Amino acid sequence: MFRFLIRRAIGALVILLIISAITFVLFYVAPRDPARVACGKVCTPETLALVKRNLGISDPLPVQYWHWLQAVFVGRDYASFGHCPAPCLGYSFHNREPVLGTILDRFPTTLSLSLGSAVVFVVFGVGTGMLAAVKQGKALDKVASSASLIGSSMQIYIVGVVAMYYLADQWHILSRPKDVPFTESPSAWFSGLLLPWLVLALIFTANYTRMARSQLVETLSEDYVRTARAKGLSRRTVFFRFAWRGAMGPIVTIFGLDLGVLFGGAIITEKTFGLHGIGALSVKAVGDNDLPLLLGVVLVAAGAIVVFNIIVDAVYALIDPRVRLA
């Protein structure tokens, strides 16, 4: 298992380096010059050169990337800001604030939104799929299958707006989404994110219901499951010890991908519910042509997605030993 995780970690580091390099290059393809934007309306060539030197963008592109990469691991000295300790993601071109601190202020909102909704839709989706598989061909199975088709066709920006209007504004059943730190008030944090969790769960639960049902129906017909029944084991033991474990592998894999989708798709979700997380910060970074902030957001978001997938790979390896032995 240790070797398995080491290989995944090395692969993740390579992926992050490639993503950061591509983002760095694409930024300079954009027509807007960040130094000219920061320089203001009355900008002489001398002032522009000074601004570039202060922002750390007067060097050639490969040198700039090397300095940025070096700062992540060992820190960096800036002419205008002094020493930035590692891990240093630089300072924002727009507001001159440390990028890492800005991201860490927004990160809990996106993390809470993603993980909270994931817990809800996995519990409801897999649970409903299990019931549908056990009641195969009966009314519950048909209702769950039909509902899953409807749910999977919904879009967050439509369901979210409708849910906020009726559940929060008209009927006052739930609170409107808001950013409240968990350490400040756990109850307010929960109530402020409950509506987005439920809306995201409504959309994602459908896929897990269909997947869990199909996997369990297929697994229940396997020879080893029939053999376990023939040996006289109870129905509960056969289901949870043999069938359920055998069906969870593909579901765990898709769960890792969906976590990445939730985290990477935070722009739409946060805009829909008026939350201020990593997604909203990335939009601001693009609008301000703010390379350090944009690079920091991309690196942190990609890092979180990679970590999620490493954890999912580890869980998958525990479920199916063939994965880690391969």
Side-chain angles (χ1 to χ4, degrees):
M1 174 63 78
F2 182 73
R3 287 185 177 181
F4 176 80
L5 293 177
I6 290 296
R7 290 199 302 269
R8 289 292 188 270
I10 294 174
L13 182 60
V14 173
I15 290 173
L16 292 178
L17 288 174
I18 294 174
I19 290 174
S20 65
I22 292 174
T23 306
F24 206 97
V25 171
L26 289 178
F27 177 85
Y28 281 95
V29 176
R32 294 179 64 191
D33 183 0
R36 188 165 294 279
V37 173
C39 189
K41 295 182 179 179
V42 182
C43 186
T44 63
E46 293 78 12
T47 306
L48 183 62
L50 179 62
V51 169
K52 285 187 175 183
R53 188 165 59 253
N54 290 337
L55 294 178
I57 56 176
S58 57
D59 298 319
L61 184 60
V63 176
Q64 289 185 48
Y65 179 70
W66 172 248
H67 287 164
W68 178 84
L69 196 61
Q70 214 173 18
V72 174
F73 295 99
V74 299
R76 183 178 178 182
D77 292 321
Y78 287 88
S80 302
F81 308 109
H83 181 69
C84 177
C88 175
L89 299 180
Y91 290 83
S92 168
F93 288 167
H94 185 69
N95 57 20
R96 308 297 194 273
E97 294 292 329
V99 169
L100 185 59
T102 303
I103 293 175
L104 291 179
D105 288 340
R106 302 288 191 96
F107 188 76
T109 298
T110 302
L111 186 65
S112 299
L113 182 65
S114 302
L115 292 182
S117 59
V119 170
V120 176
F121 68 64
V122 165
V123 170
F124 280 96
V126 174
T128 305
M130 289 168 58
L131 291 174
V134 172
K135 303 293 184 181
Q136 184 181 0
K138 297 183 179 180
L140 178 61
D141 180 26
K142 295 178 180 179
V143 171
S145 300
S146 301
S148 66
L149 291 175
I150 298 173
S152 60
S153 64
M154 295 181 178
Q155 299 297 325
I156 182 67
Y157 49 83
I158 296 176
V159 180
V161 172
V162 173
M164 280 194 296
Y165 178 75
Y166 285 104
L167 297 180
D169 297 337
Q170 294 295 317
W171 300 336
H172 304 290
I173 298 174
L174 298 174
S175 302
R176 284 190 68 86
K178 55 183 178 294
D179 297 312
V180 179
F182 178 82
T183 53
E184 181 180 313
S185 174
S187 60
W189 168 83
F190 180 82
S191 63
L193 291 174
L194 182 57
L195 181 58
W197 287 347
L198 293 177
V199 172
L200 285 169
L202 176 65
I203 296 172
F204 281 87
T205 293
N207 295 327
Y208 283 84
T209 298
R210 290 188 290 112
M211 190 183 309
R213 179 195 176 280
S214 62
Q215 289 295 325
L216 282 168
V217 168
E218 181 180 348
T219 306
L220 287 169
S221 63
E222 295 286 347
D223 291 339
Y224 70 91
V225 175
R226 290 201 297 265
T227 302
R229 287 174 178 167
K231 288 183 176 181
L233 296 177
S234 66
R235 188 174 182 180
R236 181 186 298 272
T237 302
V238 171
F239 186 86
F240 287 102
R241 187 175 177 181
F242 296 98
W244 183 83
R245 184 174 180 178
M248 284 300 104
I251 295 175
V252 168
T253 302
I254 299 300
F255 178 67
L257 297 175
D258 282 343
L259 271 180
V261 170
L262 280 172
F263 212 89
I267 296 174
I268 299 175
T269 306
E270 291 172 10
K271 283 294 183 181
T272 300
F273 295 107
L275 299 173
H276 304 286
I278 296 294
L281 192 63
S282 64
V283 174
K284 184 178 185 301
V286 172
D288 294 338
N289 213 34
D290 196 338
L291 175 60
L293 186 57
L294 181 62
L295 269 174
V297 169
V298 169
L299 189 67
V300 170
I305 293 171
V306 167
V307 169
F308 291 154
N309 280 276
I310 290 177
I311 294 173
V312 167
D313 285 342
V315 174
Y316 197 1
L318 289 174
I319 294 174
D320 190 349
R322 293 172 299 179
V323 175
R324 63 176 181 268
L325 293 176

